[in-house]
Amino acid sequence: MGSIERIQNVAKRVAKWHAAGHQVVVVPSAMSGETNRLLGLAKELSTDADRRELDMLASTGEQASSALLAIALQAQGVPARSYTGWQVPVKTDSAFTKARIKSIDDKRIRADLDNGKVVIVTGFQGIDPDGHITTLGRGGSDTSAVAVAAALKADECLTFTDVDGVYTTDPRVVPEARRMNVVSFEEMLEMASLGSKILQIRAVEFAGKYKVPLRVLSSLTDPLIPVEEEKNSGTLITFEEDSKMEAALVSGIAFSRDEAKITLLGVPDKPGVAFAILGPVADANIDIDMIIQNQSVDGTTDFSFTVNRNDHKRTLDVINQVVIPQTGAREVISDQKVGKVSIVGIGMRSHAGVASLMFRTLAEEGVNIQMISTSEIKTSVLIEDKYLELAVRALHKAFSLDSDPSNSATEE
Ligand code: ASP
Ligand code: MG
């Protein structure tokens, strides 16, 4: 919601669903750019602001957009009422700036819905056990919306975004990428954690935990497109692994440029070493992603792992200050010119040879694989970052995602 006109458009879209007989709860995000603006103001005053006050500040963006939406709806003749997180209440823990939702009381919302009102609940915020306002972390209104949908046992949670759905890969890298009509929840979880930034990953986790059917669709379409049409647009994240989805071995190619590889050389190969290396890194709250350790011939080995590029420097500090003195490793080297490419698909579960097609494709393109990690439904490789887009395009083609009609947007 970037402008008065955009707010009016949201109101028109909501009014349309309401008129079609649906009970509607809307969870708005702040107006675009507003959260950054607010946090930027705080930063001008202090680089180390109290997190409680940051939440007090950032939560106002959603409060403003919620009230504006209620006003816009009322101006269009639709009864509407907005609530902040604490009024509902949306109860969270006390982890300021990254709080987790504990419970949502549906009484007030339900009473208003039963009275024919559209209810608006601020996204991104809640209240902790001591009555302090909290926020859920950047992008957290996605999670708010899913949580409200779960609390109300809604038929579906529609997430209106600036993209029109979930694609087989980023269309900016592969113009042939296709929008999927359906994607399984597990695949979406992998894609979200592997770098597709469409939904906050916690929103996807929440949807999984409470089995909330979630649809990603565009906020940029004509707000008055018929409900029946809008209902089937975008991408549905579903829990039914029907045959249509199983037809595709690989559903999508995810990639991330935010990687850094850390390698410890000459680590003594003995029990406890992985813990001695990764324990201090975890204690510093740094997430570790891929890990590789070689067998030793002379009693020492090399140990590599990846972290988010933002954590690169902090990780090196921990390694130099804590890990090397404690383990007697010879030295640490690191590489930030790396990227991760992943193939994701629930079809991988029941089919052999999927990973090998990935490796063959990369071999044919002359791309060296530095690290590999797998789960039941994904295989990831770490490669030199200058080959990232080439690899994504080649894999998209090799897995027939350019042309496979089994899950194509044109099917319906
Ligand atoms: N306004 C918050 C943010 O910008 C929450 C959200 O938009 O989802 O991160
Ligand atoms: Mg958002």
Side-chain angles (χ1 to χ4, degrees), residues 29-30 35 62 124 137-142:
S29 190
T35 311
E62 271 69 14
F124 185 49
R138 298 309 303 271
S141 53
D142 296 342

Side-chain angles (χ1 to χ4, degrees), residues 45-80:
L45 295 166
S46 166
T47 51
D48 186 30
D50 180 2
R51 287 168 182 265
R52 179 198 180 277
E53 301 307 327
L54 287 176
D55 280 357
M56 187 73 183
L57 175 69
S59 62
T60 63
E62 271 69 14
Q63 186 168 338
S65 59
S66 295
L68 288 169
L69 182 58
I71 292 166
L73 279 163
Q74 289 169 6
Q76 291 174 26
V78 180

Side-chain angles (χ1 to χ4, degrees), residues 236-250:
L236 178 66
I237 298 161
T238 163
F239 301 93
E240 288 155 40
E241 301 188 356
D242 62 19
S243 55
K244 189 176 165 193
M245 285 196 300
E246 297 227 46
L249 282 184
V250 165

Side-chain angles (χ1 to χ4, degrees), residues 165-167 180-189 191 199 214 216 234-241 245 251-252 344-346 407:
V166 181
Y167 278 71
M180 295 182 256
N181 288 325
V182 268
V183 63
S184 79
F185 155 73
E186 287 167 286
E187 289 169 329
M188 189 62 207
L189 196 58
M191 309 260 260
L199 288 172
L214 189 60
V216 175
T235 300
L236 178 66
I237 298 161
T238 163
F239 301 93
E240 288 155 40
E241 301 188 356
M245 285 196 300
S251 301
V344 177
I346 50 177
N407 192 13

Side-chain angles (χ1 to χ4, degrees), residues 88-136:
V88 172
V90 176
K91 293 191 178 158
T92 71
D93 62 19
S94 300
F96 295 116
T97 74
K98 47 171 193 275
R100 286 182 176 265
I101 295 177
K102 295 284 173 208
S103 68
I104 295 182
D105 189 339
D106 65 348
K107 261 197 247 61
R108 275 181 112 158
I109 302 177
R110 258 195 219 291
D112 284 342
L113 288 175
D114 291 343
N115 280 324
K117 288 195 179 69
V118 168
V119 181
I120 301 159
V121 176
T122 50
F124 185 49
Q125 58 164 274
I127 185 151
D128 84 349
D130 299 318
H132 302 297
I133 290 175
T134 54
T135 69
L136 309 181

